[in-house]
Amino acid sequence: MNIDFTRTRETMVEQQVRPWDVLDVRVLDTIGKLPREAFVADDLRNLAYADVELPLGHGQVMMKPVLEGRLLQSLQPQAHESVLEIGTGSGYLTACLGQLAREVISIELHADLADAAQARLAAQAIGNVQVRCADVLSWNPGRSFDVICVTGAMDSLPARFVEWLNPNGRMFIVHGQSPVMDAVLVHRTVNGSRIETLFETDLSYLAGAAPAPAFTL
């Protein structure tokens, strides 16, 4: 079956993303032009614009388009800013960030996902992104960033990630316990940090960041 991906992408923007209060012109323009189908496995291409999470392997998933749109609108990456993405996954959100910001460093735990994402980014001629294979829970960037995007949920907010933000920087992260988690924007201020609650959602945990199993009798 031949799919008109351009038309399907337009439908995704108008019927999924925009109705979820994603109205930022730069964000809508980015996701309206970037071929999401180029970042998914061949056998899932027909689902590239569906309102569902898509499996990536290693227990990881590609976010729903509506969540990607809200995330990008919340972070508001600017053309002069640097971005750290924690969890490369398919590379699609990485590509969106690369279109909006000056540079992106993306950290992926699994080498096969990192390699595949880097190849997809290269195929789309997105050259301001570096994908690095590392465990972010033990990794240190040695620098700071204007924007941090955490693509997997965490049990609690990690103070060390906040320390990687430049003054007035912000970080998108989902935290809490499934099935009800909070998506928040953490702002780095001169006095520490400020947390802005955005919406409730449910997201797969970042590897190693799930809560410890509770013991019950």
Side-chain angles (χ1 to χ4, degrees), residues 172-183:
F172 177 94
I173 188 169
V174 174
H175 72 102
Q177 297 194 13
S178 184
V180 180
M181 302 175 176
D182 288 323

Side-chain angles (χ1 to χ4, degrees), residues 88-195:
T88 311
S90 71
Y92 172 74
L93 191 57
T94 320
C96 292
L97 292 166
Q99 297 288 80
L100 294 166
R102 174 175 57 85
E103 65 162 338
V104 180
I105 293 178
S106 186
I107 306 302
E108 173 55 52
L109 176 63
H110 304 288
D112 57 333
L113 294 183
D115 291 344
Q118 188 69 76
R120 291 164 178 158
L121 290 161
Q124 296 299 316
I126 298 174
N128 62 337
V129 172
Q130 297 179 46
V131 179
R132 301 180 183 176
C133 186
D135 183 350
V136 74
L137 299 182
S138 58
W139 176 77
N140 194 312
R143 56 168 291 190
S144 55
F145 301 86
D146 301 304
V147 171
I148 296 178
C149 171
V150 186
T151 66
M154 301 190 73
D155 180 31
S156 57
L157 295 176
R160 64 194 299 266
F161 290 4
V162 179
E163 293 172 358
W164 299 345
L165 283 171
N166 287 327
N168 299 316
R170 58 261 182 225
M171 174 176 69
F172 177 94
I173 188 169
V174 174
H175 72 102
Q177 297 194 13
S178 184
V180 180
M181 302 175 176
D182 288 323
V184 302
L185 199 63
V186 181
H187 299 264
R188 181 77 185 266
T189 68
V190 293
N191 297 317
S193 61
R194 175 176 61 85
I195 299 173

Side-chain angles (χ1 to χ4, degrees), residues 50-67:
D51 185 27
V52 295
E53 294 179 340
L54 298 178
L56 299 174
H58 304 286
Q60 304 302 305
V61 298
M62 189 177 185
M63 294 179 187
K64 293 181 179 182
V66 291
L67 183 53

